[in-house]
Structures are given as C-alpha cells and as structure tokens.
Amino acid sequence: MARPLKVAVIGAGVAGLTTARELKSEGHQVVVYEKADQIGGMWVYNPEVETDPLGLDPGRKIVHSSLYHSLKTNLPRPLMRFWDYPFTVKNKDGVLMDFPGHEEVLQFLNNFAEDFGLVEFIRLNTEVVRVEQGNDDQWVVESRSNGGLISEEPFEAVVVCNGHNTQPRVAELPGINNWKGKQIHCHNYRVPEPFRDQVVVIIGGAASANDISLEIVEVAKEVHLSSRSQEIEVKKWDMYDNLWQHSKVTNCYENGEIAFEDGALVTADTILHCTGYKYNLPFLKTNGVITIDDDNRVGPLYKHVFPPQLAPRLSFVGIPRVAINFVMIDLQAKWVASVLSGKVSLPSEEDMSADLEQCYRLLEEKGIPKHHTHSLDLNMHEYLDWVAAQVGLPPVDKRQKEIFYKIREILPTSWIGFREMLLKQLPWISRIS
Ligand code: FAD
C-alpha cells in the first residue's frame, strides 16, 4: 500500500462525510472544509431565501440548501442508507417512516459523523475559495473563515464534494423577457403561502415540480404544470378542481398570457421553475483542464469521478444524478480512498480518456441529450455494480435496484401519490432496512 496522504475534502454533506470516513479508514490524514456552520449539506433546512428568486444574480447571497419545509425523501428509507450503515432514525413521534422527513435525514448524517469519529476532522464556517495545483505537485487550498481570515494549506490530494443542487438552471421560455409576472426557481421555494389565490405555472416534471405543485394547489387559484417530456399525459387532474398538466410552453406574452403546445392559454401571476441545477466549481482552477459546458457536462471525468489528466490526486464524489444517491456516493468514496491508498489502480490516462470518449459517443448515438451526461437513470445498476466491483464489493442489493426501477416506472404517469403506490406495489419496503 502507498503511504498515507494528506487529503482535503471540500464539503461536509453526504459526499464529504462518506469520503472522510473512507479516507480515515485507509489511514489518510483528512481535513474537511465546510462553509456552513453545521454538517449535512443539502439536508440542513434553511428558511431563508436568496435575494434574487431566480438565482441568476451572481452577486446575490447564496443559500446552499434547496429544501422546502415539508420535504419528505422521494426515495424510500431502504434507499437512504449507506452500504453498511442502515437508516434507523425515527421521527419525533418515534415512528420509523418509509419516506423520512428532512429532519430525520439530517439526524442520520449527524449520527453517521459521530459514530465514525469524523467531527474532529471538519472545519466548519470555512469556505474554500481556491484550489490550484502548486509547482511541486501539491494542491493548494485557499480558504476563508467566517471572520474573513484567509489561509492557504498544501495537500497531496483533493476530493471535491461541494454538491450540485444550489445553482439554479432556468428554463429558456420563448417571449419570457417581455413577460411581466413573477418568476422564482424552486431553489427559493419554502412554503406554499406566497402563492395563495394566484395562477401559477410550474415548469418541470421531476420530483420537486410534483411535490411542490401538490402543496401549492391547496392555496392557489390554479396550478398549471408544464413538462417537455413526451411521456407526460396532457390533462386536468380529476381529483383537483384547479390542477392541469400541460405540454411545453410555446410562448409567454407581454399581457401575462402563457401558451402551451397543447393549445391551452392561461394568464398567470407566477412562473415557478423546477428545472434543476447547474454544476458549479467556482474555486477550482485547473487552467481549463476541467470545464462545465453550457449543457451542464462536467469533464472530462472518468466514470464521473477522476479527471484523467489529474487523477488520482483530484477527484469528485457525488456528481451523478438520478440514482440511489447515498449508496452511489458511498461507493464512489470507497473507490477514491482505495485508489489513493494504492489498493486499486486506475487505467492509464490515455485509456481513461478513450473510455470517456466512447461514453460520449454512445450518448450521441443513442440521441441522449448532452445535459443528461451525468444522469445515471436506467443504467444506474451497471454503474453502481461496476464501482462496487472496483473495491471488491458484491453487486448492489437486488431489492434496492427493484425499488429504484419501480419508482422510475411509476413516476412518469402517476406521480400524484407515487409514494403510496410504491408501497402498495412493493409492500416489503416497510420491512427491510
Ligand atoms: P450537498 O448535500 O449539497 O453538500 C455539499 C456541501 O458542500 C454543503 O455542506 C456545502 O455547504 C459545502 N460546500 C459547497 N461549496 C463549498 C466550499 N467552497 N467550501 C466549503 N464547503 C462547501 N437524494 C436522495 O437520496 N433522496 C432524496 O429524497 C433526495 N431529495 C432531494 C430533494 C431536493 C429538493 C434536492 C435538491 C435534492 C435531493 N436529493 C435527494 C439529492 C441530495 O442532494 C443528495 O442526496 C445529497 O444531499 C448530495 O450530497 P452532496 O454531499 O453531494 O451535496
């Protein structure tokens, strides 16, 4: 085994915590930088919202978390565990929920940090502002403490775990620049009350759009969901007087009207963009080796983790989306730690680059848009099992995969009540951990 390294981990969310645990268990010297005043990342609910509700103003004060007040996990409890660390946190009434609330997830992460002795490695209130390779192969990490104190420290390796659900992506809607209503991104949605008596158009078809529309529909005059997905059925929802599903928006007019491809025309007060997030690495200086393009592709990253030219001393944990996130992140963390310890080898730089080129080519041939580069989705099981194999672990539990794919099957057509439907179709979920 190679000698232990001094490693910086950026972020103390799910990815930073699991990475710290793995590095520590391999005997590396770990420093975790966390800009917030507590660990947990996305799972720390913050009632504060940003000054620019769309999140476009680069000078705005950034709020990290995108949680809304009522959020329950969109994956059931058996998918919210780590590889060897089940989710056993009960809610305030002492009930182990099938879909835990965000408070329980945060407690789970705090328990994890406590149980594995990670707290002493974490520097809270310390934001990384620059990561750059020095002359001697070391990485320089420049950080700023809450009090504004800037300091620099050399490291032999850096693992980036800064999350990717903070920088809003906003839909480009035809005519939007002349449309006079209010616009907000769901990053800044907390509670439904501000939408009382309004006509609201919600753009997006994923979990946040669905959850939030069901909250807003209780107080708003009308809610019109709009999705560009071909799988979506255009309709008025029977069980609500005021909820419609439309296809994509074709135009926004100066008089407040919004036109949809299905022919509908509504006059709306607010557009709520539930259109996802952009990767953001403002601190990373690599002279153009690593870029984030307009289609939200971070690269080049071999298997979403290692940049061929800078591997293994620079790596990324938590980049993929649409997966069993906690297990995926845990496996990536194990892989990074094992590679840094020299227990597991990476292919040559040329072979990693060639593999990546082939992945990009395959996406293109299959007609998968570039912005889906990091969505694992239907290939999730192959990816997870591949990473597990790298670190000598068996394939991911079949039941976890079955649950994940059942959700993918149910969601496009029946997202109202999808949690209940999932439990009805796979009742054993409640009995496993
Ligand atoms: P984060 O949790 O975002 O953590 C990143 C950390 O890095 C933060 O603590 C941040 O403060 C810190 N940081 C960032 N930049 C710096 C810097 N420069 N210096 C120092 N520290 C920095 N996943 C699920 O598995 N199940 C769900 O039900 C689920 N629901 C979700 C609902 C919503 C609304 C959203 C937005 C996401 C949801 N996710 C869900 C995905 C969720 O983001 C991941 O599960 C997980 O939290 C990602 O962890 P992370 O550590 O990669 O990022």
Side-chain angles (χ1 to χ4, degrees), residues 348-361:
S348 67
E349 182 185 334
E350 292 70 32
D351 286 351
M352 286 193 275
S353 299
D355 179 273
L356 197 52
E357 282 310 316
Q358 198 195 348
C359 290
Y360 291 166
R361 241 193 334 271

Side-chain angles (χ1 to χ4, degrees), residues 412-432:
T413 48
S414 321
W415 52 262
I416 290 189
F418 88 88
R419 292 177 176 85
E420 293 72 20
M421 195 174 292
L422 179 72
L423 295 175
K424 206 166 153 198
Q425 293 195 23
L426 305 179
W428 45 263
I429 286 178
S430 304
R431 297 192 294 275
I432 65 168

Side-chain angles (χ1 to χ4, degrees), residues 9-17 33-36 38-44 64-68 71-75 79-80 105 109 123 126-129 161-166 186 207-208 277 282-283 317-319 323-326 329 419:
V9 174
I10 303 171
V14 177
L17 294 172
Y33 290 92
E34 173 50 60
K35 67 179 178 178
Q38 59 174 306
I39 66 166
M42 186 53 57
W43 295 98
V44 179
H64 184 79
S65 182
S66 303
L67 290 189
Y68 29 97
L71 186 135
K72 289 185 174 32
T73 61
N74 49 48
L75 300 178
L79 304 194
M80 297 299 298
V105 182
L109 296 175
R123 294 185 191 164
T126 311
E127 179 176 8
V128 170
V129 291
C161 303
N162 68 326
H164 50 78
N165 290 301
T166 295
C186 62
S208 298
Y277 295 89
F283 47 81
V317 171
I319 293 280
I324 306 174
N325 298 317
F326 282 35
I329 286 173
R419 292 177 176 85

Side-chain angles (χ1 to χ4, degrees), residues 240-427:
Y240 292 93
D241 293 338
N242 56 347
L243 178 61
W244 288 261
Q245 175 68 59
H246 299 282
S247 47
K248 69 178 184 190
V249 168
T250 50
N251 219 339
C252 306
Y253 298 98
E254 215 173 335
N255 65 0
E257 285 177 340
I258 294 181
F260 300 91
E261 200 175 52
D262 54 54
L265 189 68
V266 303
T267 303
D269 299 296
T270 301
I271 296 177
L272 174 54
H273 297 252
C274 296
T275 38
Y277 295 89
K278 291 183 194 163
Y279 293 95
N280 193 23
L281 301 163
F283 47 81
L284 190 61
K285 312 287 175 223
T286 59
N287 283 324
V289 173
I290 295 168
T291 57
I292 303 171
D293 71 14
D294 291 345
D295 285 310
N296 216 20
R297 174 183 281 175
V298 189
L301 288 183
Y302 173 64
K303 306 289 183 196
H304 310 279
V305 174
F306 289 106
Q309 199 179 324
L310 300 168
R313 297 296 178 94
L314 180 68
S315 57
F316 296 76
V317 171
I319 293 280
R321 296 181 278 117
V322 198
I324 306 174
N325 298 317
F326 282 35
V327 172
M328 185 264 308
I329 286 173
D330 196 7
L331 288 171
Q332 288 185 329
K334 290 179 195 317
W335 186 31
V336 166
S338 304
V339 169
L340 288 176
S341 301
K343 282 186 178 166
V344 172
S345 311
L346 289 177
S348 67
E349 182 185 334
E350 292 70 32
D351 286 351
M352 286 193 275
S353 299
D355 179 273
L356 197 52
E357 282 310 316
Q358 198 195 348
C359 290
Y360 291 166
R361 241 193 334 271
L362 270 176
L363 285 180
E364 219 174 305
E365 280 167 20
K366 288 184 187 163
I368 297 175
K370 209 174 167 195
H371 66 261
H372 285 311
T373 300
H374 304 293
S375 297
L376 297 182
D377 207 358
L378 299 179
N379 295 322
M380 196 256 332
H381 63 285
E382 282 169 24
Y383 179 79
L384 260 52
D385 290 350
W386 185 91
V387 183
Q390 299 310 296
V391 291
L393 289 173
V396 171
D397 187 339
K398 273 204 259 178
R399 296 170 307 178
Q400 287 186 317
K401 291 175 189 159
E402 185 178 349
I403 298 170
F404 179 81
Y405 287 114
K406 183 57 83 181
I407 297 173
R408 302 303 299 151
E409 189 186 304
I410 294 175
L411 264 182
T413 48
S414 321
W415 52 262
I416 290 189
F418 88 88
R419 292 177 176 85
E420 293 72 20
M421 195 174 292
L422 179 72
L423 295 175
K424 206 166 153 198
Q425 293 195 23
L426 305 179

